[in-house]
Amino acid sequence: MADHDIKQVVKDKYAQAALRVIEGDGACCGGTASTCDPITSNLYSQTETAALPAEAAAASLGCGNPTALAALVPGEVVLDLGSGGGIDVLLSARRVGPTGKAYGLDMTDEMLTLARENQRKAGVDNVEFLKGEIEQIPLPDSSVDVVISNCVINLSADKDRVLAETFRVLKPGGRLAVSDVVVRGEVPPEVRRSVELWIGCVAGALEERDYRAKLDTVGFEAIDVEPTRVYRVEDAREFLEKAGLDAGAIAPQVEGKFMSAFIRARKPASAARHL
Ligand SMILES: C[S@@+](CC[C@H](N)C(=O)[O-])C[C@H]1O[C@@H](n2cnc3c(N)ncnc32)[C@H](O)[C@@H]1O
């Protein structure tokens, strides 16, 4: 599929998800986000969701909880790549306080409408949702302290560009703190494709070593990839069998290899623009 087509598939999918929440259903399968699948379910504590509009929690489509794992300090500027219904932006805004700011960036109009409505309901001022693509971030060089993201980089067909743009907008010493789907080790291509589609990675997830290498090439340091949720073949059995694969037979090639991970890296304090 061409990059442009991948982007359109992703946009259509998340426009539908946003509309389902706006119409009162859950984002991912007509139920509540907390009950629909092993990827998006139970990522946030009750304390976190209790303080947010119900629609922000219902629209949660991530695969981790980056703001819980990222150290955010009052006064900092945070940018969420692919902010969806805004859950991580609203949580970040609280952490950075009134002297800080949280930006959400998303390309899907329906998600932006939902996120802005969630911001209004949450009554927070230090938040701004921007329309745009994570491959071309509409913010100046060296303007952000922390870039977060929740299960969006795996959707991009141009991950090098996303990482280069992230590096560009970070201030020297700024941090990347994202949740993303990662593959660990070799998996036969046909099997890999089916599992990725089950997880929702239309454009393919990165193998852990490739992720580290790409971050290093762009100029990041202190790179760390920490698994937060490892997926089981059993969870994907129905989907894989519909795709014509024998889940039992491929289990040894898949088990323990697909995971959500928390990826950390830092732009060197001495960094000028690297690219
Ligand atoms: C899996 S959802 C995650 C939403 C949110 N981060 C969360 O945790 O609920 C992906 C979101 O990223 C947006 N998105 C995907 N690819 C994008 C791109 N290339 N540029 C901007 N936004 C993108 C989609 O519109 C969608 O809102």
Side-chain angles (χ1 to χ4, degrees):
M1 216 190 290
D3 289 9
H4 173 79
D5 297 336
I6 290 180
K7 204 161 262 173
Q8 196 54 51
V9 167
V10 169
K11 215 180 252 187
D12 291 346
K13 173 176 169 174
Y14 290 104
Q16 291 304 316
L19 290 173
R20 279 199 295 277
V21 174
I22 290 167
E23 284 158 13
D25 288 330
C28 62
C29 59
T32 63
S34 63
T35 57
C36 44
D37 65 59
I39 301 158
T40 58
S41 60
N42 304 320
L43 297 172
Y44 298 90
S45 70
Q46 282 206 329
T47 320
E48 286 170 316
T49 53
L52 295 175
E55 292 81 357
S60 159
L61 284 167
C63 56
N65 184 347
T67 55
L69 297 166
L72 300 180
V73 175
E76 286 190 320
V77 177
V78 179
L79 165 66
D80 182 13
L81 302 179
S83 43
I87 186 164
D88 295 317
V89 178
L90 297 176
L91 289 170
S92 301
R94 190 169 309 131
R95 300 263 304 280
V96 298
T99 57
K101 177 147 187 179
Y103 289 101
L105 172 64
D106 208 288
M107 66 179 179
T108 307
D109 287 318
E110 292 80 351
M111 275 297 181
L112 288 163
T113 302
L114 176 61
R116 289 179 181 134
E117 182 58 15
N118 286 335
Q119 176 189 357
R120 192 190 60 75
K121 286 182 186 152
V124 285
D125 295 329
N126 60 337
V127 161
E128 191 175 339
F129 289 101
L130 306 170
K131 178 165 179 174
E133 299 186 352
I134 64 175
E135 296 83 1
Q136 261 183 301
I137 300 175
L139 285 175
D141 296 0
S142 304
S143 57
V144 174
D145 294 291
V146 183
V147 170
I148 62 166
S149 184
N150 198 347
C151 230
V152 183
I153 296 175
N154 62 69
L155 298 172
S156 175
D158 193 350
K159 295 172 176 66
D160 293 321
R161 190 77 230 135
V162 175
L163 298 179
E165 276 292 274
T166 299
F167 191 87
R168 179 184 67 76
V169 298
L170 278 171
K171 298 176 186 174
R175 289 105 67 205
L176 168 84
V178 307
S179 294
D180 209 10
V181 176
V182 172
V183 184
R184 190 172 261 179
E186 298 305 316
V187 182
E190 185 204 330
V191 172
R192 180 180 168 128
R193 193 78 204 113
S194 295
V195 179
E196 283 171 344
L197 287 176
W198 171 68
I199 297 172
C201 303
V202 186
L206 286 176
E207 204 280 329
E208 181 184 350
R209 276 166 306 183
D210 294 340
Y211 217 130
R212 288 175 180 273
K214 284 180 188 296
L215 287 165
D216 183 61
T217 301
V218 168
F220 281 103
E221 62 182 18
I223 298 164
D224 185 47
V225 179
E226 176 192 340
T228 50
R229 193 173 279 193
V230 180
Y231 302 117
R232 297 167 45 236
V233 176
E234 203 42 48
D235 296 327
R237 176 177 287 278
E238 201 184 320
F239 186 94
L240 293 173
E241 290 187 344
K242 273 194 200 140
L245 294 168
D246 177 345
I250 64 166
Q253 299 164 319
V254 173
E255 210 65 82
K257 292 189 172 167
F258 291 84
M259 60 195 73
S260 298
F262 183 56
I263 295 135
R264 291 182 180 86
R266 191 176 55 226
K267 178 169 174 172
S270 57
R273 188 159 175 219
H274 192 265
L275 296 173

